[in-house]
Amino acid sequence: MKNSLAQVFKSGKFLVGFSIIVAIVLAIIVYPLLVPGNPLEMIGVGTFFKPGTYISAYDAVNSRSFYTLNLTDAAAKRVASKLSDADREVMLEWFTLFFEENPGDVDLEEMDINDTQTLVTLWWETYDPSIRFDSMTSAKRKYIARVDAQLEGILEDADVIIAAENDDGTLSQSSVILGTDYVNVSDIASVRILPLGTDNFGRDVLKQMISACRTSLLIGLIAGTIATLIGLVLGLLSGYVGGIVDDVIMFVTNLFTVIPSFVLLILISFSIGQEQRGARVVAVVIGVTSWVWTTRSVRAQVVSLRNRDHVNLSKLSGHSLVRILIMDILPYIASYVIMAFILQVCSGILAEAQLSMLGLGPKTTQVPTLGLMMYWAMAYAAHINGAWWAYFPIVILIAIISFSLNLMNTGLDQVFNPQLRD
Amino acid sequence: MKGYRRYFGKKIIWFLITMFFAVVLNFLLPRLMPGDPVAGITGRAVSGMSDASVAQTIYNQYAERFGTNKPMYIQFFTYLKNLAHGDLGVSFSQYPRTVADILGASIVWTLVLQFPAIIVGWIIGNVLGALAAYIRKGFDKVLLPLSLFLSGLPAFGMAITLLVVFGINLKWLPTSGGYSFSLLPHFSFTFIKSVLYHYWLPFLSIVLIAIGGQAIGMRSMSIYELNADYVKYSRFLGIKDRKIVGYVFRNAMLPQITGLALSIGTMVSGALIAEIIFSYPGLGSSIYKGVFASDYPLISGSTLIITVMVLVASFAIDIVYGFIDPRVKAAQNE
């Protein structure tokens, strides 16, 4: 036992997979301690906020201490941040049309649209809202007008005046914020880091993902345990007892091998109904529908073991069936069962994700699961909206979990089946 | 014909039995749930309706269809009778279209998408797995982790990744649908071109996933075989390496074919989810719509069709296997 454990931990593949899983479990435990709160709390009003650090604008403006920093590139950066790539493209397009009709000494080929200063200066020299190009759609014309309005006063160093309302309803200036005023982030009372932004409901994706990972791993564990237990018991009985028991069990097993378990999952989950479907129920349903592979392989192993001398000796000594199965047969197939268990956990997690993507996952208001997060991201077309943070980390996480579980399994396989070793 | 007849006879009987039980399960599972199934099913379907008489009509219609007041075995015979007529009921969400009509339109898409993809993935995966086992060293070191990662990636994850990279960022291929929105399904060159254009991404996502799983299986199988005694013996006899490898891979192939027959259900269910991502007009999308609208007849019809599809596929693979397996052939010559 000790020896084989030592061997298992010497296998590189197993170790890599195992370390990743341990890291994930640690993250699940540690992260909620660092960032407490309900993972399903809808903090954002609006959908799919970008990942980043969110600083309270109110606190920043009302900050007690402003610092003056004379940074030369600050103004240029400010302007550049107001013009998106699409805006610049449209401006270039306008220039092209303009200089076709009014040839000038400007070389558009050479022009760098990322050079904000030149771009804006040229824009102010040439742009005239009264010029209309026939080849331009009216939607584009309106877009250009909007860009122009945005540029109005963009290069001037106007200070921002903060005003407060007096008792009589008039506004009076309370403070002025200069272009060179800075605040230190650590002075600001309210800062929220959203490393993965928010989802369609305005919930913190990272926080939710960690909590979802926990639920999904639990679902995998419960489903895997149930499936392995059923599979083990049926496989042991079928392989050792033989006869009619074997026939019946194998008949049922073969039946459920060809009837896709996913179909059963759909039917059962739908029949249970949304209200009854908690994460645990889903886990049990997955476990109950996915034991066939374990039964098959355990049975095959047991059949090859049942006529070994030590088993016959036990039988002659009058040991009970349960005792023979546990003491004489189980130790020989234990490594096999553990490998099957790891795979069941993995497929349980995947099954939950798939089921949830169909809309048949756990009840949606209680717990996040990886599948449910995918479901909502897809339902709100996160992939079309470019909100990669709402689905991609989840895909990667599922892939990493299943990759490391599979890696552990391959590592174990190589330890216990020396033929597969390098 | 003795060997073949026995093999195929056994397979056909087994096919019929599984088919029967699949139908029974499809019938039984929703009815085993506690409570009045008709109320549960129609309740969810009509929850948004304001017109009480419509709800009552749907309830009565389904109470009659299900025949909940009659004993279970009579219900089952009614169910079988309807099934024999190809009557899968009327869809709740797309009333008054029948389920058979909806599924008839979507099954073609699923068949055309999934089976070529699974077969292609299977073939490429096996070739790569065999190569990895034979070459080992560097090739294996790259292929094994890659295959593990590919097969671990859920089908929908692969689908989304491909969709975002090739559909949205590079804009090479369309992101959704089975054909262009501006077209109606008809037989013409433009339509077929549009279908092929939309076919690539879903097809690739299924193929890539299949490659991963198959390569791992074939690799282990081939390594087992390469270490077998007959290989060592043949080497001692001085038989050419090429010839031995031929035998080895043929032997390693046989379990892979059985494996395909057994795992086709899992592959199909993964691909169904990929269909949803691409809004591909197949059975996966039908189930999705059915779940969304609590359309029980549509879901039950889809699951039945999928089961039948998978059963037929694995039956077909079993039949092919019979022709390839030397043991069946040997029994033939007895």
Side-chain angles (χ1 to χ4, degrees), chain A residues 385-404:
Chain A
N385 294 326
W388 55 266
W389 55 89
Y391 61 89
F392 204 64
I394 299 155
V395 170
I396 294 293
L397 183 60
I398 295 178
I400 288 179
I401 293 176
S402 111
F403 173 70
S404 21

Side-chain angles (χ1 to χ4, degrees), chain A residues 262 267 270 383 391 402 419 422, chain B residues 26 136 152 164 168 224 269:
Chain A
F262 192 57
L267 279 177
F270 185 76
H383 52 309
Y391 61 89
S402 111
Q419 277 189 312
D422 296 314
Chain B
N26 217 55
R136 301 303 291 267
V164 170
I168 294 175
Y224 261 122
S269 37

Side-chain angles (χ1 to χ4, degrees), chain A residues 90 136-146:
Chain A
V90 165
M136 202 167 251
T137 58
S138 86
K140 193 151 259 175
R141 246 194 313 268
K142 279 177 192 150
Y143 186 89
I144 288 185
R146 271 203 302 277

Side-chain angles (χ1 to χ4, degrees), chain A residues 55 63-65 67 183-191:
Chain A
I55 297 171
S63 175
R64 268 177 299 135
S65 46
Y67 307 93
V183 288
N184 190 328
V185 175
S186 54
D187 289 346
I188 292 177
S190 181
V191 175

Side-chain angles (χ1 to χ4, degrees), chain B residues 14-324:
Chain B
W14 178 242
F15 173 69
L16 293 176
I17 293 175
T18 44
M19 196 66 103
F20 175 75
F21 275 96
V23 171
V24 169
L25 280 175
N26 217 55
F27 164 83
L28 211 56
L29 282 178
R31 287 171 175 78
L32 282 181
M33 297 303 146
D36 176 4
V38 181
I41 289 162
T42 52
R44 263 170 271 150
V46 300
S47 58
M49 290 182 188
S50 50
D51 193 345
S53 67
V54 175
Q56 189 58 42
T57 315
I58 290 182
Y59 180 88
N60 290 342
Q61 211 177 357
Y62 258 79
E64 199 185 323
R65 262 194 82 83
F66 267 63
T68 28
N69 40 2
K70 297 187 197 113
M72 200 68 116
Y73 70 95
I74 294 183
Q75 289 181 41
F76 184 60
F77 283 122
T78 324
Y79 177 83
L80 280 186
K81 209 176 77 196
N82 288 335
L83 212 58
H85 293 132
D87 178 7
L88 295 169
V90 179
S91 161
F92 288 159
S93 55
Q94 302 179 39
Y95 193 84
R97 265 182 100 186
T98 61
V99 171
D101 184 31
I102 300 172
L103 294 183
S106 51
I107 188 169
V108 182
W109 291 99
T110 295
L111 281 177
V112 170
L113 173 67
Q114 295 201 1
F115 284 98
I118 289 175
I119 304 267
V120 169
W122 185 80
I123 292 173
I124 300 179
N126 277 312
V127 171
L128 288 178
L131 283 178
Y134 184 60
I135 302 175
R136 301 303 291 267
K137 299 289 165 227
F139 187 65
D140 191 30
K141 284 263 176 326
V142 177
L143 189 84
L144 183 64
L146 197 69
S147 305
L148 275 177
F149 189 76
L150 275 183
S151 66
L153 203 62
F156 60 82
M158 178 60 85
I160 292 174
T161 313
L162 289 181
L163 181 124
V164 170
V165 172
F166 294 105
I168 294 175
N169 289 343
L170 295 173
K171 294 199 173 57
W172 288 356
L173 293 161
T175 54
S176 71
Y179 49 89
S180 169
F181 288 118
S182 56
L183 297 172
L184 280 173
H186 63 290
F187 195 76
S188 78
F189 183 65
T190 354
F191 183 69
I192 291 172
K193 221 174 90 182
S194 169
V195 166
L196 284 179
Y197 186 49
H198 284 74
Y199 187 72
W200 272 108
L201 280 183
F203 177 77
L204 272 181
S205 72
I206 300 172
V207 167
L208 284 175
I209 296 278
I211 286 178
Q214 295 303 324
I216 298 173
M218 185 63 180
R219 177 186 169 274
S220 336
M221 272 299 145
S222 302
I223 292 177
Y224 261 122
E225 287 288 329
L226 279 168
N227 290 329
D229 288 340
Y230 74 90
V231 174
K232 287 173 191 154
Y233 183 62
S234 309
R235 286 216 167 110
F236 284 137
L237 286 181
I239 296 176
K240 279 204 191 86
D241 215 28
R242 248 206 146 122
K243 193 152 191 173
I244 302 176
V245 168
Y247 281 116
V248 163
F249 291 140
R250 222 182 95 176
N251 285 346
M253 204 68 174
L254 288 172
Q256 282 295 94
I257 296 177
T258 329
L260 180 64
L262 295 177
S263 64
I264 201 148
T266 320
M267 287 166 127
V268 167
S269 37
L272 288 174
I273 309 291
E275 275 184 13
I276 298 173
I277 305 281
F278 291 108
S279 317
Y280 208 75
L283 289 171
S285 302
S286 294
I287 300 182
Y288 182 71
K289 279 182 211 151
V291 171
F292 191 73
S294 288
D295 190 343
Y296 170 75
L298 188 55
I299 294 174
S300 154
S302 311
T303 49
L304 188 64
I305 296 282
I306 292 166
T307 316
V308 170
M309 228 167 70
V310 169
L311 290 183
V312 170
S314 60
F315 174 66
I317 298 169
D318 274 342
I319 295 298
V320 172
Y321 183 81
F323 285 110
I324 304 171

Side-chain angles (χ1 to χ4, degrees), chain A residues 362-400:
Chain A
K363 205 158 95 181
T364 48
T365 47
Q366 289 176 340
V367 282
T369 68
L370 294 174
L372 285 175
M373 290 184 75
M374 284 302 297
Y375 174 75
W376 287 114
M378 290 301 111
Y380 279 76
H383 52 309
I384 307 284
N385 294 326
W388 55 266
W389 55 89
Y391 61 89
F392 204 64
I394 299 155
V395 170
I396 294 293
L397 183 60
I398 295 178
I400 288 179

Side-chain angles (χ1 to χ4, degrees), chain A residues 1 65 85-86 132 136 177 239 272 277 319 351 361 383:
Chain A
M1 186 68 194
S65 46
D85 287 345
R132 289 182 158 234
M136 202 167 251
I177 299 177
I272 291 174
R277 228 167 36 222
H319 289 156
H383 52 309

